[in-house]
Amino acid sequence: MAHPKHKTSKARRDKRRTHYKAVAPTLATCSNCGTTVKYHTVCPECGYYRGKQVIEKEIAV
């Protein structure tokens, strides 16, 4: 197995990790009710996905 000959400094290690960052999820608006939802997911408010109802949701009265 390979072994490092010299200790990697904190600056060099951190420079290498500059591209490892979290990205904000892509958001869209629901075509049925208009709420903001994550892409490729069913709307949690109305249960619609791509214009079709896929989950039966209870209406709060």
Side-chain angles (χ1 to χ4, degrees):
M1 243 175 101
H3 294 285
K5 196 161 196 164
H6 299 287
K7 180 179 178 178
T8 305
S9 69
K10 292 175 206 153
R12 191 172 188 87
R13 176 200 65 199
D14 294 344
K15 281 185 207 174
R16 185 178 67 244
R17 292 179 182 172
T18 57
H19 300 291
Y20 301 156
K21 54 186 170 241
V23 293
T26 308
L27 300 176
T29 54
C30 177
S31 60
N32 187 51
C33 65
T35 58
T36 305
V37 291
K38 245 171 64 168
Y39 260 37
H40 307 291
T41 55
V42 177
C43 177
E45 300 296 320
C46 63
Y48 274 70
Y49 179 68
R50 297 185 69 190
K52 297 176 186 172
Q53 189 170 13
V54 292
I55 296 176
E56 192 72 35
K57 297 295 278 189
E58 294 283 329
I59 299 172
V61 178

